[in-house]
């Protein structure tokens, strides 16, 4: 496997950076990004081509195949799939590049499970690749990323993202993966946060999102704040507004927006991303926490996220960026 990271210690913090590719590795990097993020645009292009240019008989065949790819089971342990995922993880972090900052890496026990509260969502929370087990930056061997259920009904995308370690963001999945020894990454803001995005400002929808905190408390897993700087700049985007659009987005568990990257393609712009992992908030197992107890721990997480943002925004190159918590 090609070594595509460099690690250093600085002022008590571990800094791990994806290496920018040179020579033939650049080709691998673009192929990896296309595999990872190209499925949405590919599906849209395929549907438009089918509707506009194919006769009805062939159009029915194409749509039938798409439906088949939407429903057939995906083996998350497929050898071929995991090879594809490993290939993507090997080269993706060098594309932007992605740099991971871990405040106290030595306290993360590879034999324990953690709940990572990752912000912001942006168009796509692609900075989570820095936390993937196959990327190997953080050193935790078992990681799952909880994603919108809509992803797992999207042809081709569901295959790639399942192989990468993503799973539907349901309560049962969350609990069962933690019990199986996986650390879980969740983006609490979800659909609502994508709807509220604004250019030039970071908005996170956290005030009423306490379910992930309750699950961490009930099972006694440490809660870890994570913030990604620069993620909101890797795509240009446009979205409708209004209450009707918000209700529609909630109904389908996905915010349909128009977004594009380099030359109008699904390849994101090569802007550096800085993913900062804070100190774990240790929690004692509490099988039936009261609402007051949940609110207290949720407040600790929100304050830790704010501190993480303010402490590292200048270092990440965004000294004037403002964080608004809704």
């Amino acid at each position: 496997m090609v070594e595509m990271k460099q690690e250093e210690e600085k002022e008590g913090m571990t800094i791990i950076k994806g290496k920018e590719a040179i020579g033939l590795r650049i080709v691998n990097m673009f192929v990896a990004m296309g595999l990872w993020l190209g499925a949405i645009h590919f599906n849209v292009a395929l549907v438009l081509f089918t509707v506009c240019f194919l006769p009805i008989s062939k159009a029915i065949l194409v749509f039938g195949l798409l439906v088949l790819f939407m429903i057939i089971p995906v083996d998350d342990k497929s050898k071929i799939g995991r090879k594809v995922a490993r290939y993507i993880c090997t080269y993706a972090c060098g594309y932007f590049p992605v740099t991971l900052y871990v405040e106290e890496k030595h306290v993360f026990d590879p034999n324990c499970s953690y709940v990572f509260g990752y912000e912001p969502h942006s168009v796509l929370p692609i900075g989570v690749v820095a936390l993937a087990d196959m990327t190997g930056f953080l050193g935790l061997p078992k990681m799952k990323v909880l994603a919108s259920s809509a992803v797992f009904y999207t042809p081709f995308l569901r295959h790639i993202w399942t192989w990468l370690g993503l799973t539907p963001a349901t309560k049962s999945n969350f609990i069962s993966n933690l019990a199986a020894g996986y650390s879980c990454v969740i983006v609490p803001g979800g659909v609502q946060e994508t709807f509220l995005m604004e250019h030039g400002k970071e908005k996170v929808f956290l005030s009423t999102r306490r379910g992930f905190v309750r699950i961490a408390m009930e099972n006694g897993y440490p809660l870890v704040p994570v913030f990604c700087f620069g993620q909101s700049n890797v795509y240009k985007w446009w979205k409708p507004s209004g209450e009707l659009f918000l209700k529609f987005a909630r109904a389908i568990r996905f915010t349909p927006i128009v977004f594009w990257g380099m030359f109008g393609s699904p390849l994101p712009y090569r802007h550096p991303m800085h993913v900062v992992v804070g100190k774990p908030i240790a929690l004692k197992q509490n099988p039936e926490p009261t609402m007051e107890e949940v609110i207290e721990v949720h407040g600790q997480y929100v304050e830790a996220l704010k501190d993480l943002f303010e402490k590292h925004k200048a270092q990440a190159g965004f000294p004037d960026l403002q964080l608004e918590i809704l």
Side-chain angles (χ1 to χ4, degrees):
M1 181 63 66
V2 180
E3 180 65 31
M4 293 295 286
K5 66 177 183 179
Q6 52 191 18
E7 182 172 334
E8 64 176 308
E9 296 285 336
K10 187 177 181 181
E11 297 179 357
M13 176 176 291
T14 304
I15 304 174
I16 309 148
K17 183 176 182 179
K19 288 185 179 179
E20 297 186 64
I22 58 174
L24 291 176
R25 292 181 183 176
I26 294 178
V27 176
N28 286 317
M29 194 166 56
F30 278 98
V31 171
M33 296 302 295
L35 287 170
W36 180 24
L37 300 170
I40 296 175
H41 291 73
F42 174 77
N43 283 320
V44 171
L46 180 60
V47 168
L48 290 175
F49 176 82
T50 300
V51 170
C52 295
F53 298 106
L54 294 185
I56 293 179
S57 58
K58 291 184 177 179
I60 291 174
L61 177 62
V62 170
F63 285 119
L65 288 172
L66 287 176
V67 171
L68 182 64
F69 278 111
M70 288 172 62
I71 61 176
I72 57 174
V74 181
D75 181 7
D76 62 343
K77 294 180 174 60
S78 161
K79 290 184 178 179
I80 294 177
R82 294 298 275 176
K83 284 182 179 179
V84 172
R86 190 172 292 108
Y87 176 80
I88 292 171
C89 289
T90 298
Y91 291 100
C93 286
Y95 176 87
F96 300 97
V98 179
T99 303
L100 181 70
Y101 303 81
V102 188
E103 288 195 335
E104 291 188 5
K105 188 181 179 185
H106 66 278
V107 305
F108 287 93
D109 184 347
N111 298 312
C112 292
S113 298
Y114 298 85
V115 175
F116 292 87
Y118 178 100
E119 291 291 351
H121 187 286
S122 308
V123 173
L124 293 171
I126 54 181
V128 297
V129 69
L131 303 177
D133 51 5
M134 286 192 177
T135 303
F137 279 13
L138 194 54
L140 298 180
K142 298 176 71 175
M143 298 284 290
K144 287 289 185 180
V145 178
L146 303 178
S148 168
S149 299
V151 167
F152 302 94
Y153 291 99
T154 305
F156 311 115
L157 183 70
R158 63 193 291 263
H159 293 77
I160 298 294
W161 286 27
T162 297
W163 294 332
L164 282 167
L166 278 75
T167 188
T170 64
K171 182 178 180 179
S172 59
N173 269 345
F174 196 177
I175 294 172
S176 63
N177 278 296
L178 287 169
Y182 285 92
S183 291
C184 290
V185 182
I186 186 168
V187 185
V191 170
Q192 181 84 26
E193 195 166 291
T194 307
F195 177 80
L196 294 168
M197 284 191 308
E198 286 186 16
H199 295 287
K201 180 187 289 188
E202 294 291 6
K203 288 188 172 185
V204 297
F205 187 70
L206 274 177
S207 297
T208 59
R209 296 297 172 97
R210 305 187 186 103
F212 71 107
V213 174
R214 179 179 290 276
I215 289 174
M217 294 176 68
E218 289 174 347
N219 296 278
Y221 296 115
L223 190 58
V224 186
V226 183
F227 196 90
C228 181
F229 295 94
Q231 181 179 264
S232 299
N233 299 329
V234 300
Y235 280 117
K236 296 185 183 298
W237 52 268
W238 174 87
K239 61 180 175 64
S241 58
E243 190 65 25
L244 181 62
F245 176 69
L246 176 58
K247 289 181 179 179
F248 175 69
R250 283 175 174 168
I252 64 173
R253 298 186 179 183
F254 183 72
T255 303
I257 62 174
V258 179
F259 69 95
W260 61 95
M262 297 172 62
F263 310 112
S265 77
L267 290 174
Y269 292 98
R270 298 185 66 185
H271 294 308
M273 291 194 293
H274 303 267
V275 181
V276 186
V277 178
K279 302 171 186 176
I281 301 170
L283 300 176
K284 292 182 179 180
Q285 187 172 9
N286 183 352
E288 296 183 0
T290 64
M291 179 57 70
E292 290 74 19
E293 290 171 330
V294 172
I295 290 173
E296 180 182 352
V297 174
H298 179 268
Q300 292 177 28
Y301 166 78
V302 171
E303 287 303 314
L305 188 71
K306 287 180 182 178
D307 291 344
L308 204 65
F309 178 87
E310 294 298 335
K311 184 177 178 181
H312 296 284
K313 67 179 185 180
Q315 182 183 18
F318 299 90
D320 300 320
L321 188 64
Q322 298 299 312
L323 175 66
E324 184 176 353
I325 295 180
L326 302 173

